[in-house]
Amino acid sequence: METIYGYAGKIARINLTDSTVTDVPITNYVPKYVGGRSVANRIFWEEVGPEVKAFDPENKLIYMTGPTTATGIPSGGRTVFTGLSPKTLPEQYTWSGMGGWFGSELKFAGYDGLIIEGKAKEPTYIYIEDGKVQFLSAEKLWGQYVHETQEMLEEIHGKDVKSIVIGPAGENLVRFASITTANDNAAAKAGFGAVMGSKNLKAVTVRGRGKIVPADIPKVLELRKTMNNPPMRLNPILNLEGVEAGANVNFKVPGGVKQAQVACCYGCNQHCDRMFLDVKSGTSRKKKNRVEKCVGIFAMDFTENCGWMPNQTFQTEQNHSAPCKTLSGDMEPPDMTDPYAKDLFNWRPADTVNFWKGNYDKGNVMMDLCNQYGIDKWEVTVGLFPWFSMGQKEGVFEGMDFGMPIDVESEEFVRYILDMLVYRKGKYGDILAEGMARAVRILGKEKYGDTIYHGRYSNVIPGKQLDIPICMETAWGEIFHWQGRGYQAAIDITGWLPCSLQLMVSSRDTQTVAHFHSTWDYYLAVKDDPYHNRLVPQAVIECETREDIKDSFTSCEWQAPDHYWPTMECEMFEAATGYPMTLEEMEEMAIRSRLTFRAILIRNYGRDREMEVNAVYPGLTYPDSVGLTADWDDWNDLVDLYYEERGWDKKTGWPTREQYEKYGIKEIADELEAAGKLPG
Amino acid sequence: MEKIQEEYGKISEKYCNHIVQYPPEVSLCAGCTSCEAVCAMVHDGAVSPSLSRIQLERGTVSMIHTIHACMQCRDHPCYSACPKKDKAMCIDEKLGIAYVNQEECVGCRLCVKACPFEPKRIRMNLDKPRPKAIKCDMCRTRPNGPACVEYCQVRCIGKSEDPVPVDDRGRTQGLF
């Protein structure tokens, strides 16, 4: 048999309604779409129409690896889920990335991905062993926490299996339920845990004894040493006096803190995750080890928001470093001979928000419960509990009985609220399980969402009060992220404006796989008038193209892109598959994937210019860290420039037939035209 | 730390130079599985946990992982058990360790049975038409030595007769 390099060769279509499995050749999609999110986009476009709702059996949960997964190429362990999300507002097609070791094990078992469709009659889990798929009863697993479920599956099938599981939140259709794998890696942002729950699917467990053959092993080994200059340093468990996570979360802990770094996915050459050892558990276990990247740190202390240093966003050839190194502390020391170094490393302080004070045990319990219930930490840490904190201070909850006095400083209150919403207990449990965006609409958005919190203060202009609504909602039901308001608000307008554009054309928060990055030259060119400079949409499009590349090939947000090594993913792809790919070809594939995604949003969910400019703009009327707000006309001028740069129709925001045909997907244009969704 | 340093870097009476996992005080395994990936690549030209001579036992929830590799027994019970010794299971005279010549291996599994450790440090390569034994050979023909050690990004594994590595780089705290 001819060796297939990089790929396993097929996708398993798993129908839970009739317990059937069909093999779908990966070549149905490759090479037009190379893997990961791009293939998933195409599958969803072909198979799920506009009439389907998130919890319908007809919704499909698509899981894809990429050609670099399980090849030993660093960051190839990243994988992606897509499907119709119950979390986004309104329900829209979206994606959710996940690291871990499940994707590589799936490839060793013979599959590049899964199409999970239908609905099982009873609680079920899927066991895949070397190409054989079984549907097994999840009766004993249903109701179990995430960690207990993982351990029970290992007891049943052996220590070497890898699993994706949901917790009670997914079973109870909590709209921000996550899917979790090893190391608490989770696909959390899209609520796909609840989609699994709606299908009566508790877990997928896999064991693979097969192999994946990279085409060019010397090149793979070379990439292991060259991709982001791996630190190759010891990783001792540090005994610290407290939490020391940069300038904003920094407090002493009685008894100290044990901390080390761990990797997040198969074969990575970095270790971006921060692990806290022997911390307080949220459940009956005595002690736990737990990992965090960024937002979970704020569960421990949310007195200040997150500050910003321009080099997190803007780079020069002399000073650029992978984001994973900013988390692990492995960043190379600044090169101060760089004429821009002083500005690049000029820390912009975070806003004071005073949500809650430092409490190591309470923060660990909050995050462990998120892990165990299987819910999105982001929604809990940046959405739910800040809402309680701000709303209580502004008096909006007076007369409401949650069953316990509101006290966000209290571990008991955290436990009580999370238990209430995960199990949908009582009126408020049921409402909060819908997620912040839907909950405040059920309660009454004007009061419970838009009431202004008067306790946010700038530290760039000391003492300046900055209004923010108690529900820090931006577009698509998401919470602000790198948008100058809400979480990571300290970024300046040259950063938050493009982040907002990225969000506008997406269906969920993009600053997880597409953190806005550009060069310092960009910053200098646009800083005086970012609304009317084409470099802004050009830089956004570059980031979006890179986003599709990362989620398709696959590579990792925390390692890529390297602005000064643009062909890195081309080299990864060729090492994995043996097929040379130019930068132009790679970008063409990414834009094809992007157009397919946009076509889904347009056909299925009525996406157009009016919908998206209005989704993002209201949030930009609140002040950033120096008090700047966006003007409606300026915002629309920028949107005009974006659509022009994309070659899309400015009036509707729809791509033209020429765009679809240019990227080889005429059939999509034909279908959109039949649906009246091509610009006239 | 001094006690730990005393435990390593010595010549053992029972075992030849072999791959060791250092205690977490020296370096905690990050769980990346790079050791398994590069091992299978340099030996078999593919990536597969089943082809790796080094095994990472994953702590899915605890995130504390254990590395298993051949202890390279000086009395070579695997070699003694081999019905085709010196053809299939051979001794590297320079290193003193047993290694498998897969072309001659008949797949009888007697070497696996003879391995005194659990999990067994010799496994069967089921990727071949006929199963073949595989075991760590310390990358005996690689100029750079064991690939798993070379590519371990946290240097949590090393050769038993080498001194415990020291943190020569240091680090600062992460941003958030």
Side-chain angles (χ1 to χ4, degrees):
Chain A
M1 198 175 95
E2 190 184 349
T3 300
I4 305 173
Y5 295 109
Y7 297 95
K10 60 185 185 294
I11 300 167
R13 180 187 299 282
I14 296 174
N15 188 308
L16 290 158
T17 304
D18 58 13
S19 301
T20 57
V21 181
T22 315
D23 287 351
V24 180
I26 191 74
T27 47
N28 285 8
Y29 310 101
V30 173
K32 204 166 185 176
Y33 301 86
V34 300
R37 183 144 47 121
S38 60
V39 167
N41 286 347
R42 183 69 197 200
I43 293 169
F44 197 89
W45 165 261
E46 291 177 356
E47 301 187 11
V48 183
E51 67 287 352
V52 177
K53 303 293 178 204
F55 293 144
D56 289 349
E58 291 76 17
N59 187 15
K60 302 197 182 192
L61 185 61
I62 304 164
Y63 174 76
M64 283 301 304
T65 64
T68 65
T69 308
T71 61
I73 295 172
S75 81
R78 295 297 305 178
T79 61
V80 67
F81 290 91
T82 76
L84 177 52
S85 164
K87 165 73 166 50
T88 61
L89 183 71
E91 289 183 354
Q92 295 179 93
Y93 173 70
T94 200
W95 80 94
S96 193
M98 188 179 78
W101 290 261
F102 177 84
S104 47
E105 193 77 14
L106 184 68
K107 285 184 76 168
F108 297 137
Y111 292 110
D112 291 300
L114 307 169
I115 305 169
I116 300 171
E117 56 190 31
K119 178 180 180 178
K121 289 183 187 69
E122 305 289 343
T124 298
Y125 75 97
I126 294 164
Y127 179 55
I128 303 172
E129 184 174 354
D130 295 326
K132 187 183 170 197
V133 181
Q134 299 176 60
F135 298 80
L136 301 173
S137 170
E139 188 185 350
K140 289 182 180 167
L141 301 174
W142 205 257
Q144 296 287 345
Y145 294 133
V146 161
H147 293 154
E148 277 68 15
T149 305
Q150 290 172 317
E151 290 173 341
M152 287 170 76
L153 288 165
E154 290 184 1
E155 278 175 25
I156 296 167
H157 297 289
K159 279 286 289 176
D160 291 332
V161 299
K162 311 290 186 293
S163 298
I164 51 173
V165 310
I166 61 168
E171 298 169 11
N172 296 323
L173 309 187
V174 173
R175 284 185 181 265
F176 48 101
S178 56
I179 300 171
T180 309
T181 188
N183 272 35
D184 288 329
N185 278 292
K189 273 275 185 179
F192 288 144
V195 174
M196 275 181 67
S198 75
K199 295 181 178 303
N200 274 330
L201 180 62
K202 177 70 175 177
V204 183
T205 295
V206 63
R207 175 76 172 105
R209 296 179 185 81
K211 64 181 181 182
I212 293 296
V213 184
D216 186 345
I217 285 175
K219 182 66 182 180
V220 172
L221 294 174
E222 179 194 315
L223 287 166
R224 296 200 58 81
K225 289 196 171 178
T226 51
M227 282 177 61
N228 287 303
N229 186 23
M232 309 300 283
R233 65 153 171 80
L234 298 175
N235 180 38
I237 295 174
L238 304 175
N239 293 295
L240 306 174
E241 289 184 0
V243 179
E244 300 174 11
N248 304 115
V249 183
N250 205 319
F251 62 96
K252 291 225 177 342
V253 174
V257 167
K258 287 164 76 176
Q259 185 190 311
Q261 301 294 135
V262 295
C264 100
C265 74
Y266 184 87
C268 192
N269 64 348
Q270 310 281 335
H271 36 262
C272 54
D273 278 346
R274 181 187 276 124
M275 179 157 88
F276 297 102
L277 293 96
D278 298 336
V279 303
K280 188 170 184 179
S281 161
T283 59
S284 58
R285 294 178 187 228
K286 282 186 180 168
K287 294 284 182 184
K288 296 287 276 283
N289 298 332
R290 236 174 34 72
V291 296
E292 292 297 346
K293 264 192 177 153
C294 55
V295 72
I297 298 294
F298 288 84
M300 299 176 189
D301 180 356
F302 215 150
T303 313
E304 289 186 346
N305 206 325
C306 185
W308 176 69
M309 203 149 56
N311 89 310
Q312 290 173 260
T313 306
F314 305 119
Q315 304 175 337
T316 62
E317 192 154 9
Q318 280 175 266
N319 281 296
H320 65 283
S321 191
C324 49
K325 292 188 169 185
T326 64
L327 294 190
S328 65
D330 284 317
M331 258 176 72
E332 290 81 8
D335 180 351
M336 298 308 285
T337 65
D338 182 344
Y340 302 119
K342 193 172 164 226
D343 292 329
L344 275 169
F345 295 97
N346 183 21
W347 182 255
R348 178 154 146 147
D351 308 327
T352 296
V353 290
N354 286 323
F355 294 156
W356 51 79
K357 296 187 289 289
N359 185 330
Y360 191 55
D361 281 350
K362 189 201 79 176
N364 279 310
V365 165
M366 190 196 289
M367 293 297 93
D368 186 43
L369 285 172
C370 289
N371 290 335
Q372 285 281 52
Y373 289 139
I375 47 177
D376 180 20
K377 292 177 180 177
W378 180 268
E379 184 84 357
V380 169
T381 309
V382 186
L384 177 66
F385 285 104
W387 177 72
F388 271 120
S389 173
M390 291 186 279
Q392 188 192 26
K393 286 167 187 159
E394 298 301 333
V396 301
F397 300 127
E398 283 171 15
M400 292 173 77
D401 182 6
F402 288 96
M404 179 182 262
I406 296 170
D407 181 5
V408 295
E409 305 281 358
S410 146
E411 182 185 311
E412 286 67 36
F413 180 73
V414 167
R415 287 177 181 275
Y416 176 80
I417 291 295
L418 293 180
D419 172 78
M420 183 174 81
L421 76 86
V422 166
Y423 294 100
R424 290 184 174 269
K425 291 179 179 173
K427 174 185 167 189
Y428 292 119
D430 214 30
I431 291 172
L432 295 176
E434 293 295 293
M436 287 312 303
R438 287 177 172 82
V440 298
R441 281 164 177 78
I442 295 167
L443 292 168
K445 186 167 182 292
E446 190 176 343
K447 178 177 179 184
Y448 294 98
D450 300 340
T451 293
I452 294 300
Y453 174 55
H454 296 90
R456 175 188 172 213
Y457 292 94
S458 171
N459 285 309
V460 183
I461 305 172
K464 184 177 177 61
Q465 186 183 311
L466 303 164
D467 286 348
I468 192 83
I470 60 168
C471 179
M472 298 192 290
E473 180 190 333
T474 178
W476 319 128
E478 289 283 13
I479 306 293
F480 288 117
H481 189 190
W482 289 111
Q483 276 191 278
R485 300 103 181 126
Y487 183 60
Q488 294 181 318
I491 188 170
D492 88 352
I493 189 170
T494 59
W496 63 249
L497 202 53
C499 288
S500 300
L501 263 186
Q502 286 176 279
L503 178 66
M504 183 190 81
V505 289
S506 182
S507 52
R508 50 150 280 190
D509 176 15
T510 60
Q511 302 302 305
T512 57
V513 72
H515 279 86
F516 178 72
H517 292 290
S518 194
T519 61
W520 188 249
D521 289 340
Y522 156 94
Y523 169 81
L524 294 173
V526 310
K527 65 184 174 60
D528 295 329
D529 185 6
Y531 290 101
H532 301 95
N533 192 318
R534 284 185 184 276
L535 286 177
V536 175
Q538 285 169 4
V540 166
I541 291 166
E542 185 189 351
C543 286
E544 289 172 340
T545 300
R546 287 286 163 174
E547 173 189 346
D548 280 84
I549 289 167
K550 277 181 272 195
D551 267 0
S552 300
F553 280 74
T554 50
S555 61
C556 176
E557 168 71 354
W558 299 92
Q559 283 224 36
D562 184 334
H563 279 273
Y564 297 93
W565 185 8
T567 58
M568 184 175 86
E569 287 92 341
C570 300
E571 294 178 38
M572 292 165 68
F573 181 73
E574 185 172 354
T577 66
Y579 291 102
M581 183 174 274
T582 65
L583 186 58
E584 291 72 26
E585 288 167 337
M586 182 169 71
E587 290 176 348
E588 187 181 319
M589 193 295 307
I591 295 170
R592 185 179 302 123
S593 172
R594 173 67 46 167
L595 283 168
T596 307
F597 173 70
R598 187 143 186 92
I600 294 168
L601 297 185
I602 291 168
R603 183 193 65 182
N604 287 16
Y605 316 111
R607 180 63 71 93
D608 61 16
R609 176 185 180 124
E610 185 183 359
M611 185 180 178
E612 52 193 22
V613 293
N614 285 311
V616 175
Y617 181 71
L620 305 183
T621 61
Y622 298 105
D624 77 353
S625 280
V626 293
L628 287 179
T629 57
D631 172 83
W632 172 252
D633 291 334
D634 284 341
W635 169 244
N636 275 279
D637 289 347
L638 181 63
V639 172
D640 280 349
L641 290 182
Y642 175 86
Y643 289 146
E644 281 177 14
E645 288 294 324
R646 276 286 185 194
W648 300 351
D649 177 57
K650 281 197 290 187
K651 188 177 166 197
T652 58
W654 295 341
T656 59
R657 169 172 285 282
E658 289 70 27
Q659 282 293 310
Y660 292 111
E661 291 189 355
K662 180 179 175 185
Y663 292 96
I665 43 179
K666 174 180 176 297
E667 68 283 3
I668 290 181
D670 291 343
E671 188 172 334
L672 287 170
E673 185 169 40
K677 303 277 189 177
L678 275 189
Chain B
M1 187 57 78
E2 283 176 7
K3 268 193 170 177
I4 292 170
Q5 284 169 334
E6 283 173 15
E7 286 177 29
Y8 297 90
K10 291 189 298 195
I11 294 174
S12 157
E13 287 180 10
K14 285 181 73 176
Y15 308 114
C16 300
N17 208 357
H18 60 277
I19 302 298
V20 289
Q21 178 182 13
Y22 298 120
E25 293 87 342
V26 176
S27 189
L28 184 73
C29 172
C32 62
T33 334
S34 298
C35 52
E36 285 191 0
V38 297
C39 177
M41 268 193 279
V42 301
H43 285 95
D44 292 295
V47 180
S48 168
S50 300
L51 296 176
S52 176
R53 280 75 173 156
I54 189 167
Q55 298 161 61
L56 186 147
E57 185 181 325
R58 178 164 300 283
T60 300
V61 175
S62 70
M63 291 168 275
I64 302 296
H65 316 297
T66 309
I67 302 286
H68 303 292
C70 176
M71 296 293 288
Q72 314 294 3
C73 306
R74 287 197 186 279
D75 59 356
H76 310 123
C78 52
Y79 169 80
S80 302
C82 178
K84 288 185 74 180
K85 53 176 73 72
D86 295 327
K87 287 185 178 160
M89 189 68 78
C90 308
I91 302 294
D92 183 310
E93 295 298 337
K94 190 176 163 198
L95 300 176
I97 64 169
Y99 68 93
V100 180
N101 176 7
Q102 287 205 18
E103 286 184 5
E104 293 288 335
C105 176
V106 294
C108 67
R109 293 181 166 84
L110 291 174
C111 56
V112 180
K113 283 184 188 163
C115 176
F117 294 97
E118 284 294 340
K120 298 292 185 187
R121 309 306 159 89
I122 305 178
R123 309 161 80 193
M124 300 308 292
N125 177 356
L126 303 176
D127 190 43
K128 306 271 184 188
R130 188 169 180 176
K132 305 282 184 182
I134 52 174
K135 77 176 279 297
C136 171
D137 62 358
M138 298 295 282
C139 290
R140 49 190 283 276
T141 58
R142 270 191 100 233
N144 287 358
C148 55
V149 174
E150 183 183 347
Y151 287 92
C152 176
Q153 51 162 320
V154 292
R155 302 167 74 200
C156 74
I157 52 176
K159 291 191 283 186
S160 61
E161 292 177 7
D162 285 356
V164 174
V166 292
D167 195 346
D168 52 4
R169 179 163 171 162
R171 64 172 159 171
T172 57
Q173 287 299 307
L175 266 182
F176 34 70

